[in-house]
Structures are given as C-alpha cells and as structure tokens.
Amino acid sequence: MTSRTFNTPTTPATKDEWLTPPDIIRALGEFDLDPCAPVKRPWDMANNHYSIADNGMELPWFGRVWLNPPYGDETFKWISRGAAHGNAMCLIFARTETKGFHNEVWNKADAIFFFKGRLKFFHVNGREADGAANAPSCIVAYGPSNVEALRSASAKGLLRGRFIPLKSATPPALSPPAMHDDPLPATLPFADFSQHSAFLPGDIPLFRA
C-alpha cells in the first residue's frame, strides 16, 4: 500500500507506508498483482507490483489481485476497481456502517472475513509496529476462488476471526405455491360408506383432552 493506508496504526511517529502482515498473504495463497504496493518492501505481496510511482489505478489489472489500499477518501475507489475486476481480495477497516462499505462491500462482495482483535502492521523495513491498528480490520473477497481461499484459511485456523459468505449465503428461491385451480388427482382417498362401520352409533368413543 502507498501513502497513509486505511489501516494505518495510530503511533507517535506515523508513517506514510504500512505493510500487510506477511502471515496474511501466506494464508491466502499466491497473488498475481498488488496495484498499490510500497516502493520499497521487505517482502512481496504478489508476483507483480505497482507502486505510487506507477499510478496503479490507471494501469491494467490482471489475474488475482491483492489490495491494501491507500487511506482516506481514495479507499473505496480502489475497492470499486477491485469489485469491477472480479478477482480480488481487499484488506480494509471494518467500517461496516459507511456509505462506501455499503456500496462496494455489502452490495458487491462475495464474502468477508472479520479479524478477531486488531491487526499489527509492519514498517517498510520489515519491523512490526509497536501499536495495533486504530480500528478492526476485515478482508473482502470478490470472485469464487477468493471466497474459497478465505473460507479455507479460516477453517484451518490460519486467520483468526469469522468468515461470512455473502452472495453464496442467499437462500434458494422457493417454489411457487400450488394454485387453487390445479387439477385434482384422478383418485382421492374418500371413505367407502358402502361397507358397515366398525362402530355402531352408540359405540363412538369419546375423547377428552
């Protein structure tokens, strides 16, 4: 991620760049592109990277994309691009009530993973930050393969938190109810009164609750 990120921890010496914890990347598998990567990084987030010098928003995106987008007003522009790309995972704050989250996550994403506790991000020199992020984080998945990767990482305990499918959780449509003018079956189980009843009128049993 470049510039201040949506997950920037609050520290006395706030930096412009914070790195995704490498355990998260390892848990989710290989990515083809990180379009908002730091210029200098101690580890790769993907096989290919665009930095702030490349202006990754304007360049072609391809394959499976990892996003830890810039902080602030630009965040959901990147998320929107990831949703349109259709094969992306995005690490953002779990600001579930915001308009951007409603528009780009609740309305478009295939699954979300909410982390238990707050994450610690890393400096560009590879050192873990002293403080945790100033809000809870989540990973948003677009595309079926990313849903399965997120589900698998959660099930294996590689990520601590709660996996929530979205589109795949929609219940199937119910069959329409039978109409009153549907044809009746050829035969119905009517009682046959041609045979003598097993009970005489005076023998009808009485039932009490």
Side-chain angles (χ1 to χ4, degrees):
M1 56 188 148
T2 62
S3 189
R4 279 179 58 84
T5 72
F6 203 48
N7 295 283
T8 301
T10 301
T11 65
T14 300
K15 304 290 185 180
D16 285 335
E17 295 182 327
W18 293 94
L19 305 183
T20 302
D23 289 347
I24 292 177
I25 299 296
R26 285 194 291 266
L28 297 174
E30 187 174 279
F31 290 90
D32 297 302
L33 175 68
D34 180 351
C36 45
V39 175
K40 296 180 180 180
R41 52 190 178 272
W43 55 78
D44 290 335
M45 274 65 73
N47 295 327
N48 299 274
H49 301 81
Y50 298 151
S51 72
I52 192 171
D54 303 310
N55 193 4
M57 182 65 81
E58 303 299 325
L59 296 176
W61 290 16
F62 53 88
R64 188 175 184 231
V65 171
W66 171 255
L67 280 170
N68 188 353
Y71 175 87
D73 295 337
E74 299 294 311
T75 298
F76 287 107
K77 293 180 182 179
W78 291 88
I79 304 303
S80 180
R81 177 76 183 271
H85 179 66
N87 185 11
M89 280 192 172
C90 312
L91 176 61
I92 60 174
F93 271 165
R95 302 292 197 193
T96 58
E97 82 289 358
T98 61
K99 292 180 180 179
F101 205 99
H102 274 263
N103 293 338
E104 306 302 334
V105 179
W106 291 130
N107 290 345
K108 298 179 182 179
D110 294 299
I112 308 178
F113 181 87
F114 291 98
F115 284 96
K116 182 178 182 179
R118 296 188 179 186
L119 298 178
K120 281 190 175 184
F121 289 81
F122 285 73
H123 300 276
V124 293
N125 62 6
R127 183 174 61 83
E128 187 179 48
D130 296 330
N134 55 18
S137 299
C138 65
I139 296 176
V140 182
Y142 299 95
S145 62
N146 292 311
V147 172
E148 290 310 309
L150 205 52
R151 187 197 312 272
S152 176
S154 176
K156 294 176 181 177
L158 301 178
L159 300 176
R160 295 177 63 246
R162 180 64 58 89
F163 169 81
I164 300 177
L166 296 178
K167 293 179 182 177
S168 58
T170 303
L174 298 176
S175 300
M179 303 301 291
H180 292 296
D181 57 356
D182 285 351
L184 295 174
T187 60
L188 290 174
F190 292 121
D192 183 1
F193 292 102
S194 65
Q195 303 296 324
H196 293 293
S197 171
F199 296 102
L200 294 176
D203 296 331
I204 297 176
L206 298 176
F207 296 94
R208 293 183 174 87

